[in-house]
Every structure is written in C-alpha cells, then in structure tokens.
Amino acid sequence: MLRFTLLWLLVFLFASISSSSARPAPYAMRISCGARQNIRTPPTYTRWYKDFAYTGGIPANATAPSHITPPLKTLRYFPLSEGPENCYIINRVPKGHYSVRIFFGLVEHEIDNEPLFEVSVEGTIIHSLKSGWSKNDEQVFAEALVFLLDGSVSICFHSTGRGDPTIISIEILQIDEKAYYFGPEWGRGVILKTTSRLTCGTSKPKFDEDYSGDHWGGDRFWHPIRTFGKNVDAPRSTESGIKKASTVPNFYPEALYQSAVVSTDSKPDLAYTMDVDPNKNYSIWLHFAEIDATITSAGKRVFDVLINGGTVFENVDVVGMSGDRYTALVLNTTVALSGRTLTITLHPKKGNHAILTAIEVFQVIVAESKTSPEEVRALQALKKSLGLPNRFGWNGDPCVPKEHPWSGADCHFDKSGGKWFIDGLGLGNQGLRGSLPNEISKLHHLQSINLSGNSIHGVIPSSLGTVTSLETLDLSYNFLNGSIPESLGKLTALRRLNLNGNSLSGRVPSALGGRLLNGASFNFTDNHGLCGIPGLPKCGPHLSAGAKVGIAFAVFLSLVLLVICSICWWKRRQNILRAQQIAG
C-alpha cells in the first residue's frame, strides 16, 4: 500500500511539473458580429464573443454564403451613410504574431445583393472582394498573418460604393512568433495574405480544428482538391501515422499529409495553375509525404519543382530529404510574379511520377507605416468637439490605407521618422458645430486649416500659436467670439489669416498688424468689436486684464457699500418713527 502511495505521488509530481512547464495556450478572440450574447457553435463548441462596443454599424440576421462559414446567425453591416470607413478596434491584445480572419456574409432575404468592399488590418489593405465571392469557398473570408505590437488591432472595412460591407465573424488567433519564416525579408513590417491553401487528394474541406491540429498553428482552412484535372493525376491516401508533421513553428496537422495526388503515365508532369495579382511577391509552401506504397526507399521518386516554367527546386527526393517514408517534408520559396497566373509544376526525373500533398500560397505585403498616435488622438478630439457628421467616417487611421484617407485631412509621410502626419485640414462649409478643442494644437505639422462657413462657436484656442508651421488659417463666417489670441502673432510662417464674419472683439495683436506690411493677407472685417489696425475702428484706452478685474472689483465693493448704507438709513428711519409714536 505504501509503495502504491509513493508511486502515485511521484506520478502526480511529474504530471504537475510537466503541466507547469508546458507552453501556455495561445491568445484567441472570436467575435460573432451582430450577436447580443456569447455563443458556442457545434461540432467543436467553439466560443464566440458577443459583438459589443467594438464599432458602429447595424446588426442584422445573416445568410451564410458557404458551408465553411461558421454557423452564426447574425452579422453587422455598415451603410455608407455612416461613413466610407468603419472599423473594429479590439484592445488588450497581447503583443505577438497573429492569424486574423474575417468571414463575410449576406443580409437575410438579400442574398442577391452581393456587396464589394475592401478590408484592411492595421492600416494595410489585405483583401478586395471580387464579384462572385459569395459562390467561392476560398473567397468568403480574408486571412492574413500579421504582427500586433501596440496592444490593440484595428480591422477596417472600406466602402467602394457597391453595397454595404457585411461581416459575420472576426477571428484573432495567436500563432508561433516564427511561423512562416521565409527569409531575410520576413519580419514585423511584412504581412502574409492567404491567397490559397489546398489539401490534395481529398474532397473534404477541413480546418486545423477538424484535423485536431495544434492551436499554435492557428485554425487554417484547407480547400480540398481531389484532382487537378481529368486523367492527369490519381489520389492517394493512408491511415498510417506521419512523422515530423506538427512541429514548431508552423504546427501542420498530421492528417494533412495522409492524402496526396500522384501524376500518371499519360501526364507525368503534375501541374496546378491559379490566378494571382500581377507585380506582387508570393511566398509558396509545398508539402510532401511519401505515402505511395510503390515507393519503398530513397531514389525511387525524384522530381524538379518549377514556378511559371523556372526551376526552384531540383532533384526533390521526398524519402531522401525527409528521412523516411510517411514523414512530412515542407519546401518554401518566394517569387516575384509579373503576370496574372501562378503555375506550379512537378517534373519527374526518376520514377516517372511526382507526388504532392498540399499547397500554400501567400501574397507578401509590406505593412503600411501608421500615423503618429498623438495626431490621431487630436483628430478624434476634433471630430468629437465639432460633431463631425457620420458621412465623414473618420475611423481607423487617417492616412492609411493610402487608397482610403480620411476626407478633409491631408497627409504627408515623414521618411526620417517613418510615420505619417497631418499637414492640412479642409473642412469648410460642412455644417460643423461645437467649439475648437485645445487638442488641435497637437497637430504639430499643420500648414493649412480651413474651417470656414460652419457654425463653430466659442473662442480661438491660444494653443494654436504653438503650431509654428501654420501658413494658412481660415476661420471665417463662423460664430467665434472673444479676442484674437496674442499667441497668433508668434506664427511667423502665417501668410493668410481669415477671421472675417465672426463676433470677435478687442484689439488685434500688434504683431499681426505689423505682418500686413510684409505682404501677408489678413481679413478681420465683419467683426464689430475688433479694433486697432487700418480698416478697423480705433481702440479706446487699453486696459490690461488686471486693470479690468480691478475695476470690476471696485464696482462690486461700491454696490455692497451702497446696499449697507441703504439698510442702515432705513433702520435708523424706522427707529425715529417708532420713538415719535411712543412719545405721542
């Protein structure tokens, strides 16, 4: 009994040590768009979080366009009236390498209304929906591998004027830091967009989850392709285990290598052709495992691999290179393609037949540099303070994607700092209300501001005088009041200043008046309270702010004394009348 107890304790201790040293589970966030509560979906009972406080848009019932779409009943769509850009901003995402996937859907009872729009992650376009996407399994979602380093992720949908973006689900799945390393160009400034992922020799589509794959590989979707064409190849499959499959950093599921296609005598070359975007770089991953019973040793099957006719791998011997039969082998190459097609050809050199298990093709995208966070916050404060209409959007990053900048914000790229900044605001005659926030001064690179013809009230922030690069400031025809800040006189680059058509008062700063002699164009008309320069009324005796406060205080004291004296006189009069009444 004692021996059994000691043995049990040793087993428990070993299990505890093993579990404590095991790698923690990867971060995973799955959002069911439009959902009001968390749900789980069969057959794996994956958890999907409710869609709350991430974005705008309108929830609706969903029609899934494909059987591979997660079995979710809702979606969120973004009408153009809410702006051309709409984003999910998801916070508290640990730093790391992630697979980001978005499934698209159709609004219930509108299955013929197929919207076309673009998708960006962290300001970089990763996908443009093409006509007919809802009838193609590989096009009902967009997926990209991206590094997330600032604790959050922005996933934006950009309207192209052809229907409202409709999103069923978003998945953010952490993967290994070194996943899909393809060479020196790989790194944090690179995004890999999934173009195609095929599993050969089978007709069943599967996700890694269906393959019981390691979660650190993400949850990849493998599109099945039983044959590349009639009589050009033959499927192979096995139930034997596959060695060296689920290994770091990519963690491919073992079952992926249990099916393949093999070329035939009538067509010894094994070839697959797919459409791609021209003038792009592509990272191609080819998977092999010798599962054909007719190949018993190394040297029995040898072939070359060609991409668009050019040899990229010579004398591929799957058994020899992997070390054994039923053992996974992965080959990777990156190519620059100028045309619109990608053709992968396996050309036999020994054994007459080639074998292929799976294909992955990624488009290599250079991640866009982002706008300075301080300037983004300043624009968001301006949006809130001026009540910017929804049609402007102003969601995500102001300057990227470059194809979809914020309306009314002009951007410039600083090569030395590697960031975008705002050098112009053009929001004239847009029905803006509210007041100018002090945060506008955080736009340190502004050269031009045009907010004319709106209904902006309040004072001109004195902090504007710190934007030393400002050359043009047009605040005409608003409802601004108060005085012109002295700090505007410090803007030595200012050449055009329009403050006409407001309710400003007080003396125009002398520094601005002197600038008129140097060819600057300033307009202060239609402000009945301004004075002090030619063309405006003369100013009376000028009192400092302290003097004005002193006078106001003296007037207040005088009023208080007058009230006290009046009370004293009234009481004395009452006492005299009372004494006269008593004497009478």
Side-chain angles (χ1 to χ4, degrees):
M1 181 66 182
L2 180 60
R3 287 182 180 179
F4 176 79
T5 303
L6 289 174
L7 179 61
W8 185 87
L9 287 173
L10 288 172
V11 171
F12 177 79
L13 180 62
F14 178 78
S16 300
I17 294 174
S18 299
S19 61
S20 63
S21 61
R23 191 178 191 183
Y27 174 90
M29 167 64 78
R30 294 179 171 90
I31 299 173
S32 175
C33 299
R36 300 299 188 186
Q37 58 186 6
N38 299 338
I39 59 175
R40 293 185 180 272
T41 54
T44 57
Y45 291 94
T46 300
R47 183 178 183 179
W48 298 85
Y49 288 93
K50 61 184 178 182
D51 186 8
F52 177 73
Y54 295 114
T55 185
I58 301 173
N61 292 329
T63 296
S66 167
H67 62 287
I68 72 165
T69 303
L72 303 170
K73 297 180 179 180
T74 61
L75 55 70
R76 186 173 291 274
Y77 72 94
F78 302 94
L80 188 57
S81 59
E82 294 202 0
E85 281 81 46
N86 288 273
C87 304
Y88 274 77
I89 308 296
I90 301 166
N91 297 315
R92 295 188 292 278
V93 178
K95 292 182 180 180
H97 197 195
Y98 287 86
S99 171
V100 178
R101 183 165 60 205
I102 304 102
F103 272 93
F104 318 121
L106 301 171
V107 176
E108 191 176 42
H109 307 308
E110 296 185 21
I111 58 176
D112 294 328
N113 185 18
E114 184 185 66
L116 304 180
F117 53 94
E118 294 189 313
V119 182
S120 69
V121 175
E122 293 292 275
T124 301
I125 293 286
I126 65 163
H127 192 68
S128 298
L129 277 76
K130 300 175 182 177
S131 181
W133 65 264
S134 60
K135 298 177 177 61
N136 188 321
D137 287 348
E138 285 192 290
Q139 295 182 23
V140 297
F141 67 90
E143 181 185 79
L145 308 182
V146 58
F147 285 94
L148 303 177
L149 304 174
D150 58 4
S152 67
V153 56
S154 65
I155 302 170
C156 299
F157 311 104
H158 309 275
S159 298
T160 59
R162 293 172 290 180
D164 301 326
T166 47
I167 313 302
I168 282 184
S169 67
I170 294 175
E171 297 171 89
I172 304 167
L173 307 176
Q174 189 176 14
I175 58 177
D176 192 274
E177 287 286 324
K178 294 291 185 181
Y180 291 98
Y181 177 87
F182 62 85
E185 299 84 7
W186 180 93
R188 295 182 175 183
V190 170
I191 293 175
L192 290 181
K193 168 199 169 182
T194 304
T195 301
S196 184
R197 188 178 278 122
L198 305 174
T199 175
C200 303
T202 180
S203 57
K204 296 180 179 179
K206 288 190 176 181
F207 290 87
D208 276 10
E209 187 70 33
D210 302 321
Y211 277 136
S212 299
D214 191 300
H215 290 173
W216 278 100
D219 187 24
R220 292 158 288 203
F221 169 69
W222 300 90
H223 182 71
I225 184 162
R226 187 169 178 82
T227 176
F228 294 163
K230 187 176 182 181
N231 298 325
V232 301
D233 52 39
R236 295 286 188 273
S237 63
T238 183
E239 295 183 0
S240 300
I242 304 295
K243 299 184 286 291
K244 299 182 181 179
S246 187
T247 58
V248 293
N250 295 330
F251 298 97
Y252 293 111
E254 179 184 10
L256 176 68
Y257 297 91
Q258 292 177 326
S259 66
V261 290
V262 177
S263 58
T264 62
D265 291 335
S266 61
K267 193 72 173 178
D269 282 359
L270 191 60
Y272 177 76
T273 299
M274 60 177 291
D275 295 332
V276 294
D277 294 331
N279 304 314
K280 304 291 185 182
N281 292 340
Y282 287 86
S283 182
I284 301 166
W285 299 71
L286 304 175
H287 300 263
F288 308 93
E290 190 52 79
I291 61 173
D292 192 335
T294 63
I295 305 300
T296 57
S297 61
K300 297 290 186 179
R301 189 200 308 276
V302 180
F303 52 87
D304 291 343
V305 177
L306 296 81
I307 304 294
N308 284 1
T311 302
V312 293
F313 298 108
E314 289 187 294
N315 300 320
V316 176
D317 182 344
V318 176
V319 175
M321 295 171 70
S322 67
D324 200 358
R325 300 170 65 217
Y326 303 103
T327 304
L329 171 67
V330 183
L331 300 179
N332 166 245
T333 186
T334 301
V335 296
L337 300 179
S338 57
R340 294 184 175 275
T341 58
L342 165 66
T343 300
I344 301 170
T345 304
L346 278 58
H347 175 65
K349 299 178 73 174
K350 289 184 181 180
N352 295 328
H353 300 157
I355 188 170
L356 179 61
T357 295
I359 301 172
E360 292 178 285
V361 179
F362 299 94
Q363 185 181 125
V364 181
I365 303 174
V366 178
E368 295 278 9
S369 298
K370 300 170 71 174
T371 306
S372 164
E374 183 182 41
E375 299 208 349
V376 176
R377 289 191 293 269
L379 285 180
Q380 292 289 6
L382 190 69
K383 172 186 176 180
K384 181 178 180 181
S385 183
L386 295 182
L388 211 66
N390 288 336
R391 57 186 168 81
F392 276 85
W394 277 34
N395 297 304
D397 191 291
C399 302
V400 292
K402 288 179 285 188
E403 300 87 347
H404 301 282
W406 286 5
S407 177
D410 298 328
C411 299
H412 183 77
F413 185 65
D414 178 14
K415 292 183 180 179
S416 60
K419 287 189 179 297
W420 290 88
F421 57 76
I422 310 302
D423 65 355
L425 286 175
L427 296 170
N429 299 294
Q430 298 298 332
L432 306 182
R433 300 178 181 274
S435 58
L436 292 175
N438 282 319
E439 286 86 349
I440 195 172
S441 64
K442 301 298 183 182
L443 301 171
H444 301 293
H445 304 88
L446 278 175
Q447 296 180 16
S448 173
I449 299 176
N450 179 11
L451 296 172
S452 63
N454 290 294
S455 299
I456 303 171
H457 57 78
V459 300
I460 300 173
S462 62
S463 57
L464 263 180
T466 63
V467 186
T468 57
S469 58
L470 200 59
E471 298 176 2
T472 300
L473 177 60
D474 191 345
L475 301 177
S476 58
Y477 299 107
N478 280 286
F479 297 99
L480 296 169
N481 53 37
S483 61
I484 299 175
E486 291 285 342
S487 61
L488 294 190
K490 300 177 182 179
L491 299 177
T492 57
L494 195 62
R495 289 293 175 268
R496 183 182 176 193
L497 175 62
N498 291 339
L499 298 178
N500 50 300
N502 283 284
S503 300
L504 299 171
S505 60
R507 184 184 296 272
V508 174
S510 57
L512 290 177
R515 201 78 51 75
L516 290 171
L517 301 175
N518 297 320
S521 173
F522 295 168
N523 191 341
F524 302 111
T525 59
D526 297 328
N527 286 280
H528 299 300
L530 285 180
C531 62
I533 63 171
L536 295 178
K538 290 184 178 181
C539 295
H542 179 67
L543 294 176
S544 66
K548 291 178 181 178
V549 172
I551 292 173
F553 185 68
V555 171
F556 174 76
L557 285 178
S558 299
L559 289 174
V560 170
L561 289 173
L562 180 61
V563 170
I564 293 174
C565 291
S566 298
I567 293 173
C568 291
W569 177 84
W570 182 80
K571 285 188 174 182
R572 185 172 180 275
R573 178 64 179 168
Q574 293 297 315
N575 289 335
I576 292 172
L577 291 175
R578 190 178 297 110
Q580 290 176 347
Q581 289 175 354
I582 293 173

